Amino acid sequence: MRKVALITGITGQDGSYLAEFLIKKKYQVHGIVRRVALEDRSHRLWRIKHILKKIHIHAASLESYASLVKIIQKIKPTEIYHLAAQSYVDYSFRDEFSTLNTNINGTHYLLSAVKDFSPKTKFYFAGSSEMFGKVQQVPQNEKTPFYPRSAYGISKVTGHDLTRNYREAYNLFCCTGILFNHESPRRGFEFVTRKISHGVAKIKLGIEKKLMLGNLDAKRDWGHARDYVEAMWKMLQKKRPDDFVVSTGKQHSVREFAKLAFAVAGLDYKKHVFVDKNLFRPAEVNTLLGNYSKARRILKWKPRISFKHLVKDMVESDIKSIIKSGY
Ligand code: NAP
Ligand code: F7E
């Protein structure tokens, strides 16, 4: 029997790579999108436009339990990958309420719908290294206590607690992937890596001269999204549900990312990067470094794409696409 996957957040970075990955594995792939996305396909479906004919799209809202139940009853998914979220940490300081509502209630509605209407469905929840926030241990693993520093981080801790509780209380197959930052040429423009790669491309092509950034000293464990979606899938193929840290075990500062990205284009970051204090966060997560040894041991997963390759991939892709647009 062909496996059926339902992806929330299929229009996002991870959703698009995961859909491609599952199509290759011969899954029947379904995705939930917001109704507005169907009205504005060219802008909102850009990451999945090349696979639209191979997937099934359903308009539904994370805010509506009834709309989620209808889809789950209709397609009876073998696996659900719950990736949809207000995912931008900085925005969560400006709108805590919608971040908490979307991220917590959306996860709760889906888990409850699975429990009542499709209890055999395996469920993946997109947890985050932001749950560690002000880190209590270095490096962070599945046993490290959480200390979130934003409404976004708090929403992911709650989503993780809900996921574990549905596993323990109702015996559902539910996993949380505690994923550290992962990037790609499909990353949203608001995140620092894409802001840098796109900024470098515009400077290289003479469209702009400078790039304003916030805290250059923040350190992250950056991997490639293409590698990380494979870990999501591997979690749902195990006999027992569990939670896993997914990371590279290597750390770089925002400054190091910028230095390398400018160097890829033959430029010196010091001549173009300027710090804007307004871009600092009210509560910063200064440092994140993951220990993925449990994923390596149990899932046989490891990151393949290096930091250098990631940065090069992003910068070259942005230069190419700006040239193609005829700027
Ligand atoms: P992304 O590119 O920002 O995509 C987010 C997705 O969620 C989009 O498809 C978006 O739809 C959808 N969405 C947002 N608000 C929604 C709402 N109210 N109702 C329905 N859909 C909504 O994020 P990503 O980088 O792919 O990340 C995927 C998941 O992993 C997220 O849950 C994120 O929090 C988590 N995560 C990401 C990272 C990372 O480094 N990328 C690390 C750890 C965890 P629209 O296209 O309509 O906006
Ligand atoms: O910030 C600093 C900023 O917005 C990274 C999401 O996918 O990963 C992501 O969250 C760092 C922070 O990602 C700018 O202060 C400096 O320290 O790229 P970011 P994030 O906040 O780490 C986690 C794991 C997720 O789960 C989230 O969904 O970079 N920084 N200057 C800046 N950040 C931004 N955005 N813009 C700047 O100009």
Side-chain angles (χ1 to χ4, degrees):
M1 272 278 278
R2 200 169 169 202
K3 286 189 180 174
V4 178
L6 177 62
I7 304 174
T8 73
I10 196 166
T11 57
Q13 172 188 255
D14 292 6
S16 66
Y17 283 115
L18 180 65
E20 280 172 8
F21 178 86
L22 294 174
I23 288 167
K24 279 201 192 115
K25 294 246 169 242
K26 309 276 182 240
Y27 278 63
Q28 189 186 100
V29 177
H30 295 255
I32 290 178
V33 301
R34 306 193 233 203
R35 196 180 53 79
V36 283
L38 296 178
E39 285 168 5
D40 185 12
R41 286 170 174 255
S42 58
H43 286 108
R44 291 182 172 258
L45 302 184
W46 63 274
R47 294 186 179 96
I48 52 170
K49 68 172 189 290
H50 60 295
I51 50 169
L52 272 177
K53 288 202 173 108
K54 296 181 183 163
I55 60 180
H56 307 264
I57 292 296
H58 307 264
S61 158
L62 270 193
E63 284 82 32
S64 159
Y65 171 76
S67 74
L68 301 172
V69 165
K70 262 190 208 153
I71 295 170
I72 289 173
Q73 282 184 314
K74 187 171 164 201
I75 69 168
K76 298 185 180 58
T78 328
E79 295 165 12
I80 294 180
Y81 295 86
H82 175 38
L83 310 182
Q86 191 303 94
S87 72
Y88 186 32
V89 175
D90 193 49
Y91 181 72
S92 80
F93 289 106
R94 279 169 275 140
D95 191 351
E96 295 175 3
F97 286 90
S98 77
T99 303
L100 294 170
N101 282 340
T102 302
N103 294 5
I104 297 176
N105 293 342
T107 306
H108 190 194
Y109 293 158
L110 274 167
L111 282 164
S112 181
V114 169
K115 170 170 85 69
D116 289 338
F117 300 101
S118 191
K120 291 227 153 54
T121 299
K122 294 180 173 184
F123 183 87
Y124 173 87
F125 170 64
S128 164
S129 51
E130 283 293 302
M131 303 191 310
F132 297 120
K134 188 174 176 183
V135 297
Q136 303 295 296
Q137 189 187 333
V138 181
Q140 297 83 54
N141 65 24
E142 295 78 5
K143 296 207 167 88
T144 304
F146 297 134
Y147 194 136
R149 297 266 281 169
S150 62
Y152 172 80
I154 292 166
S155 75
K156 289 292 181 180
V157 171
T158 306
H160 173 51
D161 284 343
L162 280 164
T163 303
R164 191 184 45 213
N165 190 242
Y166 270 70
R167 179 165 80 214
E168 293 172 356
Y170 310 115
N171 209 20
L172 299 187
F173 192 110
C174 305
C175 304
T176 296
I178 306 175
L179 270 55
F180 282 62
N181 298 54
H182 45 281
E183 321 292 313
S184 73
R186 295 186 199 165
R187 189 54 145 151
F189 290 92
E190 64 273 42
F191 301 98
V192 76
T193 56
R194 187 73 196 276
K195 186 173 168 186
I196 294 171
S197 65
H198 197 239
V200 168
K202 285 189 287 186
I203 292 168
K204 178 74 183 169
L205 297 171
I207 302 166
E208 268 167 29
K209 286 202 163 56
K210 53 184 187 176
L211 175 64
M212 305 304 295
L213 294 175
N215 181 8
L216 298 180
D217 296 317
K219 290 184 178 141
R220 289 291 183 275
D221 178 333
W222 276 298
H224 200 297
R226 210 181 263 291
D227 279 344
Y228 285 35
V229 297
E230 187 182 0
M232 297 176 186
W233 174 77
K234 280 180 173 253
M235 284 178 216
L236 298 197
Q237 311 314 308
K238 297 305 293 180
K239 279 224 170 73
R240 279 181 346 98
D242 205 347
D243 307 321
F244 294 90
V245 159
V246 177
S247 67
T248 70
K250 292 185 183 129
Q251 192 186 51
H252 298 273
S253 63
V254 171
R255 186 189 312 279
E256 283 165 343
F257 191 105
K259 189 175 173 190
L260 183 57
F262 276 89
V264 166
L267 299 166
D268 178 359
Y269 85 102
K270 283 193 183 144
K271 291 190 180 144
H272 303 283
V273 170
F274 296 88
V275 171
D276 178 353
K277 291 270 176 206
N278 294 315
L279 296 173
F280 279 55
R281 293 180 182 171
E284 176 65 291
V285 170
N286 291 312
T287 173
L288 288 171
L289 177 65
N291 174 352
Y292 70 92
S293 49
K294 182 174 169 187
R296 188 175 49 208
R297 189 166 36 88
I298 297 176
L299 303 178
K300 313 284 177 231
W301 178 88
K302 64 170 189 226
R304 291 196 176 90
I305 305 170
S306 70
F307 179 70
K308 265 192 185 165
H309 185 105
L310 167 71
V311 178
K312 196 165 174 282
D313 191 18
M314 293 181 73
V315 171
E316 289 180 351
S317 159
D318 272 326
I319 293 175
K320 255 191 225 149
S321 69
I322 296 179
I323 291 175
K324 204 172 153 200
S325 74
Y327 63 104

